[in-house]
Amino acid sequence: MSIKILVLYYSRHGSTRSLARQIARGIESMPHCEAILRTVEEITPDAPTPQEAIVSLDDLKACDGIAMGSPVWFGNMAGPLKHFWDSTTPLWVNGDLIDKPACVFTSSSSMHGGQETTQQSMMTPLLHHGMLILGIPYSQPALHSTQSGGTPYGASSVGHSTSLTKDEIELAQQMGKRLARIAMNQKESNL
């Protein structure tokens, strides 16, 4: 049985991309699991060229689970990511994402930059699609000790750098593993 997890993110300066890659490592550390990294199209003409392939509705429909990430933009998900989710009505009408597990991740330039509200804003379209939202449980020791990123809402990072702290890496990889494990369980129960 092959499990495909979509790691969908938007990153302008690289911090969110760094988290996406750590989540993908966590996913791929699980047997028979593959992480598919995708980004969204820019909506401003002067933005840099994306480093990953652009996501399609077929990517969403075909995946067994989703990890979605955005930098904090005024306490909300980035506009290009929101713009993409606004185009997913055909999947919503068909119920294509119902019961698929999902998690969210974010990065901000400061500790109190709006990480949790951004994570909550990303959860809203996932909930409307009927997805199962996963966080990071407090059974993860790094969640108790982190002095930078990491919340029960999902993986996160703090700072302007693309270098993640040890705790940020650990929490991102553990979240990826948890998402993969739940996706495997969901797929097995539907067989």
mmCIF file of all heavy atoms in Angstrom, residues 77-131:
data_model
loop_
_atom_site.group_PDB
_atom_site.id
_atom_site.type_symbol
_atom_site.label_atom_id
_atom_site.label_comp_id
_atom_site.label_asym_id
_atom_site.label_seq_id
_atom_site.Cartn_x
_atom_site.Cartn_y
_atom_site.Cartn_z
ATOM 1 N N MET A 77 -3.155 33.413 6.783
ATOM 2 C CA MET A 77 -2.392 32.733 5.731
ATOM 3 C C MET A 77 -2.108 33.712 4.605
ATOM 4 O O MET A 77 -2.833 34.688 4.412
ATOM 5 C CB MET A 77 -3.133 31.503 5.220
ATOM 6 C CG MET A 77 -4.249 31.753 4.257
ATOM 7 S SD MET A 77 -4.909 30.233 3.536
ATOM 8 C CE MET A 77 -6.280 29.929 4.629
ATOM 9 N N ALA A 78 -1.045 33.451 3.871
ATOM 10 C CA ALA A 78 -0.642 34.305 2.754
ATOM 11 C C ALA A 78 -1.708 34.312 1.658
ATOM 12 O O ALA A 78 -2.370 33.304 1.403
ATOM 13 C CB ALA A 78 0.691 33.822 2.187
ATOM 14 N N GLY A 79 -1.844 35.449 1.001
ATOM 15 C CA GLY A 79 -2.836 35.627 -0.050
ATOM 16 C C GLY A 79 -2.794 34.577 -1.160
ATOM 17 O O GLY A 79 -3.843 34.076 -1.573
ATOM 18 N N PRO A 80 -1.604 34.218 -1.686
ATOM 19 C CA PRO A 80 -1.575 33.219 -2.749
ATOM 20 C C PRO A 80 -2.143 31.856 -2.313
ATOM 21 O O PRO A 80 -2.795 31.173 -3.111
ATOM 22 C CB PRO A 80 -0.087 33.108 -3.101
ATOM 23 C CG PRO A 80 0.467 34.452 -2.746
ATOM 24 C CD PRO A 80 -0.281 34.850 -1.501
ATOM 25 N N LEU A 81 -1.926 31.478 -1.068
ATOM 26 C CA LEU A 81 -2.469 30.212 -0.572
ATOM 27 C C LEU A 81 -3.987 30.304 -0.445
ATOM 28 O O LEU A 81 -4.721 29.395 -0.857
ATOM 29 C CB LEU A 81 -1.824 29.848 0.763
ATOM 30 C CG LEU A 81 -2.026 28.429 1.262
ATOM 31 C CD1 LEU A 81 -1.512 27.392 0.271
ATOM 32 C CD2 LEU A 81 -1.335 28.246 2.609
ATOM 33 N N LYS A 82 -4.481 31.411 0.096
ATOM 34 C CA LYS A 82 -5.928 31.614 0.204
ATOM 35 C C LYS A 82 -6.567 31.637 -1.183
ATOM 36 O O LYS A 82 -7.635 31.056 -1.413
ATOM 37 C CB LYS A 82 -6.203 32.932 0.947
ATOM 38 C CG LYS A 82 -7.649 33.378 0.959
ATOM 39 C CD LYS A 82 -8.491 32.571 1.919
ATOM 40 C CE LYS A 82 -9.850 33.181 2.176
ATOM 41 N NZ LYS A 82 -10.824 33.010 1.117
ATOM 42 N N HIS A 83 -5.903 32.306 -2.131
ATOM 43 C CA HIS A 83 -6.402 32.364 -3.505
ATOM 44 C C HIS A 83 -6.562 30.949 -4.086
ATOM 45 O O HIS A 83 -7.557 30.655 -4.755
ATOM 46 C CB HIS A 83 -5.436 33.205 -4.358
ATOM 47 C CG HIS A 83 -5.868 33.397 -5.768
ATOM 48 N ND1 HIS A 83 -6.907 34.227 -6.134
ATOM 49 C CD2 HIS A 83 -5.405 32.842 -6.913
ATOM 50 C CE1 HIS A 83 -7.064 34.184 -7.433
ATOM 51 N NE2 HIS A 83 -6.158 33.357 -7.937
ATOM 52 N N PHE A 84 -5.576 30.088 -3.825
ATOM 53 C CA PHE A 84 -5.684 28.710 -4.311
ATOM 54 C C PHE A 84 -6.891 28.004 -3.688
ATOM 55 O O PHE A 84 -7.675 27.361 -4.386
ATOM 56 C CB PHE A 84 -4.406 27.912 -4.017
ATOM 57 C CG PHE A 84 -4.589 26.447 -4.295
ATOM 58 C CD1 PHE A 84 -4.637 25.978 -5.592
ATOM 59 C CD2 PHE A 84 -4.773 25.548 -3.252
ATOM 60 C CE1 PHE A 84 -4.863 24.634 -5.854
ATOM 61 C CE2 PHE A 84 -4.988 24.205 -3.503
ATOM 62 C CZ PHE A 84 -5.032 23.746 -4.813
ATOM 63 N N TRP A 85 -7.044 28.093 -2.359
ATOM 64 C CA TRP A 85 -8.156 27.392 -1.702
ATOM 65 C C TRP A 85 -9.505 27.901 -2.184
ATOM 66 O O TRP A 85 -10.477 27.142 -2.230
ATOM 67 C CB TRP A 85 -8.035 27.472 -0.177
ATOM 68 C CG TRP A 85 -7.061 26.442 0.283
ATOM 69 C CD1 TRP A 85 -5.749 26.648 0.613
ATOM 70 C CD2 TRP A 85 -7.274 25.039 0.387
ATOM 71 N NE1 TRP A 85 -5.150 25.450 0.930
ATOM 72 C CE2 TRP A 85 -6.064 24.448 0.789
ATOM 73 C CE3 TRP A 85 -8.369 24.213 0.168
ATOM 74 C CZ2 TRP A 85 -5.924 23.075 0.995
ATOM 75 C CZ3 TRP A 85 -8.230 22.844 0.372
ATOM 76 C CH2 TRP A 85 -7.016 22.300 0.774
ATOM 77 N N ASP A 86 -9.565 29.163 -2.589
ATOM 78 C CA ASP A 86 -10.817 29.690 -3.131
ATOM 79 C C ASP A 86 -11.190 29.038 -4.463
ATOM 80 O O ASP A 86 -12.335 29.143 -4.898
ATOM 81 C CB ASP A 86 -10.729 31.210 -3.304
ATOM 82 C CG ASP A 86 -10.773 31.947 -1.981
ATOM 83 O OD1 ASP A 86 -11.141 31.338 -0.956
ATOM 84 O OD2 ASP A 86 -10.412 33.149 -1.960
ATOM 85 N N SER A 87 -10.246 28.327 -5.078
ATOM 86 C CA SER A 87 -10.518 27.658 -6.362
ATOM 87 C C SER A 87 -10.903 26.185 -6.189
ATOM 88 O O SER A 87 -11.084 25.485 -7.180
ATOM 89 C CB SER A 87 -9.273 27.744 -7.265
ATOM 90 O OG SER A 87 -8.268 26.832 -6.824
ATOM 91 N N THR A 88 -11.043 25.737 -4.948
ATOM 92 C CA THR A 88 -11.265 24.292 -4.710
ATOM 93 C C THR A 88 -12.735 23.903 -4.588
ATOM 94 O O THR A 88 -13.039 22.785 -4.176
ATOM 95 C CB THR A 88 -10.507 23.826 -3.446
ATOM 96 O OG1 THR A 88 -11.029 24.505 -2.294
ATOM 97 C CG2 THR A 88 -9.006 24.069 -3.580
ATOM 98 N N THR A 89 -13.639 24.780 -4.972
ATOM 99 C CA THR A 89 -15.072 24.473 -4.872
ATOM 100 C C THR A 89 -15.456 23.165 -5.555
ATOM 101 O O THR A 89 -16.252 22.402 -4.991
ATOM 102 C CB THR A 89 -15.912 25.651 -5.413
ATOM 103 O OG1 THR A 89 -15.581 26.820 -4.663
ATOM 104 C CG2 THR A 89 -17.397 25.374 -5.283
ATOM 105 N N PRO A 90 -14.925 22.835 -6.743
ATOM 106 C CA PRO A 90 -15.311 21.554 -7.351
ATOM 107 C C PRO A 90 -15.005 20.340 -6.452
ATOM 108 O O PRO A 90 -15.789 19.387 -6.407
ATOM 109 C CB PRO A 90 -14.477 21.498 -8.643
ATOM 110 C CG PRO A 90 -14.186 22.927 -8.964
ATOM 111 C CD PRO A 90 -14.053 23.616 -7.633
ATOM 112 N N LEU A 91 -13.893 20.385 -5.718
ATOM 113 C CA LEU A 91 -13.566 19.290 -4.803
ATOM 114 C C LEU A 91 -14.532 19.273 -3.625
ATOM 115 O O LEU A 91 -14.918 18.211 -3.136
ATOM 116 C CB LEU A 91 -12.131 19.421 -4.307
ATOM 117 C CG LEU A 91 -11.029 19.387 -5.361
ATOM 118 C CD1 LEU A 91 -9.666 19.567 -4.710
ATOM 119 C CD2 LEU A 91 -11.075 18.114 -6.175
ATOM 120 N N TRP A 92 -14.911 20.456 -3.149
ATOM 121 C CA TRP A 92 -15.864 20.571 -2.041
ATOM 122 C C TRP A 92 -17.225 20.012 -2.449
ATOM 123 O O TRP A 92 -17.837 19.237 -1.712
ATOM 124 C CB TRP A 92 -15.969 22.041 -1.625
ATOM 125 C CG TRP A 92 -16.996 22.299 -0.580
ATOM 126 C CD1 TRP A 92 -16.886 22.061 0.754
ATOM 127 C CD2 TRP A 92 -18.299 22.854 -0.791
ATOM 128 N NE1 TRP A 92 -18.047 22.437 1.403
ATOM 129 C CE2 TRP A 92 -18.928 22.927 0.468
ATOM 130 C CE3 TRP A 92 -18.983 23.299 -1.927
ATOM 131 C CZ2 TRP A 92 -20.217 23.424 0.620
ATOM 132 C CZ3 TRP A 92 -20.260 23.803 -1.764
ATOM 133 C CH2 TRP A 92 -20.860 23.859 -0.501
ATOM 134 N N VAL A 93 -17.697 20.366 -3.645
ATOM 135 C CA VAL A 93 -18.996 19.886 -4.134
ATOM 136 C C VAL A 93 -19.015 18.365 -4.200
ATOM 137 O O VAL A 93 -19.999 17.721 -3.821
ATOM 138 C CB VAL A 93 -19.331 20.515 -5.514
ATOM 139 C CG1 VAL A 93 -20.520 19.830 -6.167
ATOM 140 C CG2 VAL A 93 -19.585 22.011 -5.369
ATOM 141 N N ASN A 94 -17.916 17.767 -4.643
ATOM 142 C CA ASN A 94 -17.836 16.302 -4.782
ATOM 143 C C ASN A 94 -17.457 15.595 -3.489
ATOM 144 O O ASN A 94 -17.501 14.361 -3.431
ATOM 145 C CB ASN A 94 -16.826 15.925 -5.871
ATOM 146 C CG ASN A 94 -17.292 16.317 -7.248
ATOM 147 O OD1 ASN A 94 -18.493 16.361 -7.518
ATOM 148 N ND2 ASN A 94 -16.342 16.630 -8.116
ATOM 149 N N GLY A 95 -17.039 16.341 -2.466
ATOM 150 C CA GLY A 95 -16.622 15.716 -1.213
ATOM 151 C C GLY A 95 -15.312 14.951 -1.337
ATOM 152 O O GLY A 95 -15.060 14.002 -0.591
ATOM 153 N N ASP A 96 -14.440 15.389 -2.239
ATOM 154 C CA ASP A 96 -13.205 14.655 -2.519
ATOM 155 C C ASP A 96 -12.202 14.628 -1.365
ATOM 156 O O ASP A 96 -11.331 13.764 -1.332
ATOM 157 C CB ASP A 96 -12.510 15.240 -3.756
ATOM 158 C CG ASP A 96 -13.288 14.974 -5.031
ATOM 159 O OD1 ASP A 96 -13.871 13.879 -5.168
ATOM 160 O OD2 ASP A 96 -13.314 15.880 -5.901
ATOM 161 N N LEU A 97 -12.293 15.575 -0.435
ATOM 162 C CA LEU A 97 -11.307 15.641 0.645
ATOM 163 C C LEU A 97 -11.858 15.164 1.990
ATOM 164 O O LEU A 97 -11.132 15.145 2.986
ATOM 165 C CB LEU A 97 -10.764 17.075 0.786
ATOM 166 C CG LEU A 97 -10.124 17.673 -0.470
ATOM 167 C CD1 LEU A 97 -9.616 19.073 -0.190
ATOM 168 C CD2 LEU A 97 -9.016 16.788 -0.997
ATOM 169 N N ILE A 98 -13.111 14.764 2.017
ATOM 170 C CA ILE A 98 -13.742 14.343 3.268
ATOM 171 C C ILE A 98 -12.953 13.194 3.906
ATOM 172 O O ILE A 98 -12.598 12.222 3.236
ATOM 173 C CB ILE A 98 -15.215 13.943 3.039
ATOM 174 C CG1 ILE A 98 -16.036 15.181 2.679
ATOM 175 C CG2 ILE A 98 -15.804 13.249 4.266
ATOM 176 C CD1 ILE A 98 -17.470 14.888 2.268
ATOM 177 N N ASP A 99 -12.688 13.344 5.205
ATOM 178 C CA ASP A 99 -12.011 12.357 6.054
ATOM 179 C C ASP A 99 -10.526 12.164 5.767
ATOM 180 O O ASP A 99 -9.896 11.283 6.351
ATOM 181 C CB ASP A 99 -12.723 10.998 6.036
ATOM 182 C CG ASP A 99 -14.066 11.042 6.742
ATOM 183 O OD1 ASP A 99 -14.273 11.960 7.568
ATOM 184 O OD2 ASP A 99 -14.911 10.169 6.474
ATOM 185 N N LYS A 100 -9.941 12.979 4.912
ATOM 186 C CA LYS A 100 -8.494 12.920 4.735
ATOM 187 C C LYS A 100 -7.847 13.693 5.889
ATOM 188 O O LYS A 100 -8.311 14.775 6.260
ATOM 189 C CB LYS A 100 -8.064 13.538 3.403
ATOM 190 C CG LYS A 100 -8.460 12.696 2.197
ATOM 191 C CD LYS A 100 -7.931 13.297 0.914
ATOM 192 C CE LYS A 100 -8.369 12.461 -0.284
ATOM 193 N NZ LYS A 100 -7.741 12.917 -1.533
ATOM 194 N N PRO A 101 -6.772 13.166 6.474
ATOM 195 C CA PRO A 101 -6.107 13.888 7.562
ATOM 196 C C PRO A 101 -5.296 15.068 7.033
ATOM 197 O O PRO A 101 -4.778 15.027 5.915
ATOM 198 C CB PRO A 101 -5.205 12.835 8.201
ATOM 199 C CG PRO A 101 -4.937 11.860 7.099
ATOM 200 C CD PRO A 101 -6.158 11.859 6.229
ATOM 201 N N ALA A 102 -5.210 16.106 7.851
ATOM 202 C CA ALA A 102 -4.479 17.310 7.459
ATOM 203 C C ALA A 102 -3.842 17.952 8.688
ATOM 204 O O ALA A 102 -4.316 17.785 9.805
ATOM 205 C CB ALA A 102 -5.420 18.303 6.784
ATOM 206 N N CYS A 103 -2.765 18.680 8.454
ATOM 207 C CA CYS A 103 -2.130 19.469 9.504
ATOM 208 C C CYS A 103 -1.627 20.757 8.876
ATOM 209 O O CYS A 103 -1.566 20.880 7.653
ATOM 210 C CB CYS A 103 -1.003 18.692 10.181
ATOM 211 S SG CYS A 103 0.365 18.257 9.097
ATOM 212 N N VAL A 104 -1.287 21.720 9.731
ATOM 213 C CA VAL A 104 -0.848 23.023 9.245
ATOM 214 C C VAL A 104 0.472 23.415 9.903
ATOM 215 O O VAL A 104 0.794 22.946 10.998
ATOM 216 C CB VAL A 104 -1.915 24.111 9.491
ATOM 217 C CG1 VAL A 104 -3.174 23.817 8.689
ATOM 218 C CG2 VAL A 104 -2.235 24.264 10.961
ATOM 219 N N PHE A 105 1.220 24.280 9.221
ATOM 220 C CA PHE A 105 2.493 24.773 9.759
ATOM 221 C C PHE A 105 2.725 26.191 9.278
ATOM 222 O O PHE A 105 2.158 26.616 8.266
ATOM 223 C CB PHE A 105 3.657 23.846 9.401
ATOM 224 C CG PHE A 105 3.870 23.625 7.921
ATOM 225 C CD1 PHE A 105 4.863 24.314 7.230
ATOM 226 C CD2 PHE A 105 3.111 22.696 7.219
ATOM 227 C CE1 PHE A 105 5.084 24.096 5.878
ATOM 228 C CE2 PHE A 105 3.328 22.468 5.858
ATOM 229 C CZ PHE A 105 4.314 23.168 5.190
ATOM 230 N N THR A 106 3.547 26.929 10.028
ATOM 231 C CA THR A 106 3.755 28.338 9.705
ATOM 232 C C THR A 106 5.120 28.818 10.169
ATOM 233 O O THR A 106 5.798 28.142 10.945
ATOM 234 C CB THR A 106 2.645 29.208 10.342
ATOM 235 O OG1 THR A 106 2.724 30.528 9.815
ATOM 236 C CG2 THR A 106 2.765 29.252 11.853
ATOM 237 N N SER A 107 5.497 29.992 9.701
ATOM 238 C CA SER A 107 6.730 30.639 10.148
ATOM 239 C C SER A 107 6.451 32.124 10.318
ATOM 240 O O SER A 107 5.632 32.698 9.601
ATOM 241 C CB SER A 107 7.855 30.421 9.132
ATOM 242 O OG SER A 107 7.495 30.966 7.873
ATOM 243 N N SER A 108 7.120 32.714 11.289
ATOM 244 C CA SER A 108 6.959 34.146 11.529
ATOM 245 C C SER A 108 8.316 34.742 11.875
ATOM 246 O O SER A 108 9.243 34.032 12.242
ATOM 247 C CB SER A 108 5.966 34.402 12.671
ATOM 248 O OG SER A 108 6.456 33.887 13.884
ATOM 249 N N SER A 109 8.416 36.059 11.773
ATOM 250 C CA SER A 109 9.688 36.711 12.075
ATOM 251 C C SER A 109 9.851 37.004 13.559
ATOM 252 O O SER A 109 10.950 37.332 13.994
ATOM 253 C CB SER A 109 9.848 37.993 11.257
ATOM 254 O OG SER A 109 8.806 38.885 11.561
ATOM 255 N N SER A 110 8.781 36.871 14.342
ATOM 256 C CA SER A 110 8.889 37.100 15.780
ATOM 257 C C SER A 110 8.044 36.075 16.539
ATOM 258 O O SER A 110 7.115 35.494 15.984
ATOM 259 C CB SER A 110 8.437 38.515 16.138
ATOM 260 O OG SER A 110 7.058 38.673 15.901
ATOM 261 N N MET A 111 8.361 35.875 17.800
ATOM 262 C CA MET A 111 7.679 34.887 18.622
ATOM 263 C C MET A 111 6.176 35.145 18.699
ATOM 264 O O MET A 111 5.381 34.232 18.672
ATOM 265 C CB MET A 111 8.280 34.873 20.035
ATOM 266 C CG MET A 111 7.619 33.858 20.957
ATOM 267 S SD MET A 111 7.856 32.146 20.455
ATOM 268 C CE MET A 111 9.461 31.842 21.137
ATOM 269 N N HIS A 112 5.791 36.374 18.782
ATOM 270 C CA HIS A 112 4.367 36.703 18.918
ATOM 271 C C HIS A 112 3.846 37.341 17.636
ATOM 272 O O HIS A 112 3.047 38.272 17.677
ATOM 273 C CB HIS A 112 4.166 37.624 20.129
ATOM 274 C CG HIS A 112 4.685 37.010 21.382
ATOM 275 N ND1 HIS A 112 4.067 35.935 21.992
ATOM 276 C CD2 HIS A 112 5.783 37.263 22.118
ATOM 277 C CE1 HIS A 112 4.755 35.581 23.058
ATOM 278 N NE2 HIS A 112 5.811 36.374 23.156
ATOM 279 N N GLY A 113 4.246 36.770 16.521
ATOM 280 C CA GLY A 113 3.900 37.342 15.228
ATOM 281 C C GLY A 113 2.582 36.880 14.651
ATOM 282 O O GLY A 113 2.241 37.254 13.540
ATOM 283 N N GLY A 114 1.822 36.051 15.372
ATOM 284 C CA GLY A 114 0.526 35.608 14.875
ATOM 285 C C GLY A 114 0.509 34.173 14.391
ATOM 286 O O GLY A 114 -0.326 33.804 13.566
ATOM 287 N N GLN A 115 1.410 33.338 14.900
ATOM 288 C CA GLN A 115 1.484 31.951 14.425
ATOM 289 C C GLN A 115 0.175 31.192 14.608
ATOM 290 O O GLN A 115 -0.297 30.528 13.682
ATOM 291 C CB GLN A 115 2.616 31.205 15.136
ATOM 292 C CG GLN A 115 3.980 31.645 14.707
ATOM 293 C CD GLN A 115 5.067 30.756 15.270
ATOM 294 O OE1 GLN A 115 4.825 29.834 16.031
ATOM 295 N NE2 GLN A 115 6.291 31.043 14.881
ATOM 296 N N GLU A 116 -0.397 31.236 15.795
ATOM 297 C CA GLU A 116 -1.579 30.409 16.055
ATOM 298 C C GLU A 116 -2.803 30.900 15.279
ATOM 299 O O GLU A 116 -3.591 30.089 14.798
ATOM 300 C CB GLU A 116 -1.837 30.303 17.551
ATOM 301 C CG GLU A 116 -0.745 29.461 18.210
ATOM 302 C CD GLU A 116 -0.838 29.377 19.718
ATOM 303 O OE1 GLU A 116 -1.611 30.145 20.323
ATOM 304 O OE2 GLU A 116 -0.131 28.524 20.286
ATOM 305 N N THR A 117 -2.948 32.216 15.099
ATOM 306 C CA THR A 117 -4.084 32.680 14.298
ATOM 307 C C THR A 117 -3.895 32.312 12.829
ATOM 308 O O THR A 117 -4.864 31.994 12.133
ATOM 309 C CB THR A 117 -4.303 34.203 14.433
ATOM 310 O OG1 THR A 117 -3.115 34.890 14.035
ATOM 311 C CG2 THR A 117 -4.696 34.578 15.847
ATOM 312 N N THR A 118 -2.646 32.321 12.366
ATOM 313 C CA THR A 118 -2.374 31.898 10.990
ATOM 314 C C THR A 118 -2.692 30.423 10.823
ATOM 315 O O THR A 118 -3.319 30.011 9.835
ATOM 316 C CB THR A 118 -0.908 32.198 10.611
ATOM 317 O OG1 THR A 118 -0.698 33.606 10.698
ATOM 318 C CG2 THR A 118 -0.576 31.707 9.214
ATOM 319 N N GLN A 119 -2.303 29.611 11.788
ATOM 320 C CA GLN A 119 -2.615 28.183 11.716
ATOM 321 C C GLN A 119 -4.124 27.965 11.728
ATOM 322 O O GLN A 119 -4.647 27.146 10.969
ATOM 323 C CB GLN A 119 -1.922 27.432 12.846
ATOM 324 C CG GLN A 119 -0.418 27.365 12.630
ATOM 325 C CD GLN A 119 0.344 26.891 13.845
ATOM 326 O OE1 GLN A 119 0.031 27.241 14.981
ATOM 327 N NE2 GLN A 119 1.374 26.101 13.610
ATOM 328 N N GLN A 120 -4.826 28.706 12.562
ATOM 329 C CA GLN A 120 -6.285 28.578 12.595
ATOM 330 C C GLN A 120 -6.907 29.013 11.271
ATOM 331 O O GLN A 120 -7.856 28.388 10.799
ATOM 332 C CB GLN A 120 -6.870 29.385 13.750
ATOM 333 C CG GLN A 120 -6.578 28.749 15.098
ATOM 334 C CD GLN A 120 -7.031 29.627 16.254
ATOM 335 O OE1 GLN A 120 -7.076 30.847 16.152
ATOM 336 N NE2 GLN A 120 -7.352 28.991 17.365
ATOM 337 N N SER A 121 -6.359 30.058 10.639
ATOM 338 C CA SER A 121 -6.910 30.497 9.353
ATOM 339 C C SER A 121 -6.724 29.427 8.278
ATOM 340 O O SER A 121 -7.575 29.288 7.400
ATOM 341 C CB SER A 121 -6.281 31.828 8.912
ATOM 342 O OG SER A 121 -4.982 31.675 8.384
ATOM 343 N N MET A 122 -5.637 28.673 8.358
ATOM 344 C CA MET A 122 -5.422 27.596 7.387
ATOM 345 C C MET A 122 -6.341 26.406 7.656
ATOM 346 O O MET A 122 -6.683 25.657 6.743
ATOM 347 C CB MET A 122 -3.959 27.153 7.394
ATOM 348 C CG MET A 122 -3.032 28.164 6.751
ATOM 349 S SD MET A 122 -1.344 27.556 6.594
ATOM 350 C CE MET A 122 -0.781 27.656 8.291
ATOM 351 N N MET A 123 -6.741 26.225 8.905
ATOM 352 C CA MET A 123 -7.640 25.118 9.237
ATOM 353 C C MET A 123 -9.046 25.320 8.678
ATOM 354 O O MET A 123 -9.738 24.348 8.370
ATOM 355 C CB MET A 123 -7.725 24.958 10.757
ATOM 356 C CG MET A 123 -6.470 24.439 11.394
ATOM 357 S SD MET A 123 -6.692 24.398 13.197
ATOM 358 C CE MET A 123 -5.024 24.057 13.726
ATOM 359 N N THR A 124 -9.472 26.566 8.525
ATOM 360 C CA THR A 124 -10.851 26.850 8.116
ATOM 361 C C THR A 124 -11.238 26.177 6.801
ATOM 362 O O THR A 124 -12.235 25.458 6.756
ATOM 363 C CB THR A 124 -11.106 28.372 8.084
ATOM 364 O OG1 THR A 124 -10.843 28.894 9.390
ATOM 365 C CG2 THR A 124 -12.533 28.684 7.685
ATOM 366 N N PRO A 125 -10.485 26.352 5.694
ATOM 367 C CA PRO A 125 -10.908 25.662 4.471
ATOM 368 C C PRO A 125 -10.816 24.138 4.602
ATOM 369 O O PRO A 125 -11.629 23.416 4.003
ATOM 370 C CB PRO A 125 -9.965 26.192 3.390
ATOM 371 C CG PRO A 125 -8.815 26.803 4.111
ATOM 372 C CD PRO A 125 -9.320 27.223 5.455
ATOM 373 N N LEU A 126 -9.867 23.656 5.395
ATOM 374 C CA LEU A 126 -9.743 22.209 5.582
ATOM 375 C C LEU A 126 -10.982 21.656 6.287
ATOM 376 O O LEU A 126 -11.500 20.599 5.926
ATOM 377 C CB LEU A 126 -8.478 21.888 6.371
ATOM 378 C CG LEU A 126 -7.158 22.410 5.788
ATOM 379 C CD1 LEU A 126 -5.994 22.068 6.708
ATOM 380 C CD2 LEU A 126 -6.926 21.899 4.386
ATOM 381 N N LEU A 127 -11.459 22.373 7.287
ATOM 382 C CA LEU A 127 -12.678 21.960 7.992
ATOM 383 C C LEU A 127 -13.891 22.008 7.068
ATOM 384 O O LEU A 127 -14.736 21.108 7.090
ATOM 385 C CB LEU A 127 -12.909 22.847 9.220
ATOM 386 C CG LEU A 127 -11.929 22.634 10.369
ATOM 387 C CD1 LEU A 127 -12.024 23.775 11.371
ATOM 388 C CD2 LEU A 127 -12.160 21.296 11.041
ATOM 389 N N HIS A 128 -13.981 23.016 6.232
ATOM 390 C CA HIS A 128 -15.106 23.104 5.291
ATOM 391 C C HIS A 128 -15.094 21.959 4.289
ATOM 392 O O HIS A 128 -16.153 21.546 3.810
ATOM 393 C CB HIS A 128 -15.098 24.454 4.565
ATOM 394 C CG HIS A 128 -15.733 25.539 5.357
ATOM 395 N ND1 HIS A 128 -17.056 25.903 5.225
ATOM 396 C CD2 HIS A 128 -15.232 26.334 6.342
ATOM 397 C CE1 HIS A 128 -17.337 26.875 6.073
ATOM 398 N NE2 HIS A 128 -16.245 27.155 6.761
ATOM 399 N N HIS A 129 -13.911 21.449 3.994
ATOM 400 C CA HIS A 129 -13.792 20.295 3.099
ATOM 401 C C HIS A 129 -14.023 18.972 3.831
ATOM 402 O O HIS A 129 -13.990 17.916 3.214
ATOM 403 C CB HIS A 129 -12.414 20.276 2.424
ATOM 404 C CG HIS A 129 -12.326 21.125 1.201
ATOM 405 N ND1 HIS A 129 -12.837 20.739 -0.011
ATOM 406 C CD2 HIS A 129 -11.783 22.359 1.007
ATOM 407 C CE1 HIS A 129 -12.601 21.672 -0.918
ATOM 408 N NE2 HIS A 129 -11.971 22.681 -0.318
ATOM 409 N N GLY A 130 -14.237 19.013 5.141
ATOM 410 C CA GLY A 130 -14.510 17.791 5.902
ATOM 411 C C GLY A 130 -13.265 17.002 6.265
ATOM 412 O O GLY A 130 -13.342 15.810 6.566
ATOM 413 N N MET A 131 -12.124 17.669 6.265
ATOM 414 C CA MET A 131 -10.874 16.986 6.583
ATOM 415 C C MET A 131 -10.716 16.817 8.095
ATOM 416 O O MET A 131 -11.383 17.496 8.884
ATOM 417 C CB MET A 131 -9.695 17.750 5.993
ATOM 418 C CG MET A 131 -9.785 17.871 4.474
ATOM 419 S SD MET A 131 -8.305 18.559 3.739
ATOM 420 C CE MET A 131 -7.282 17.098 3.727
#
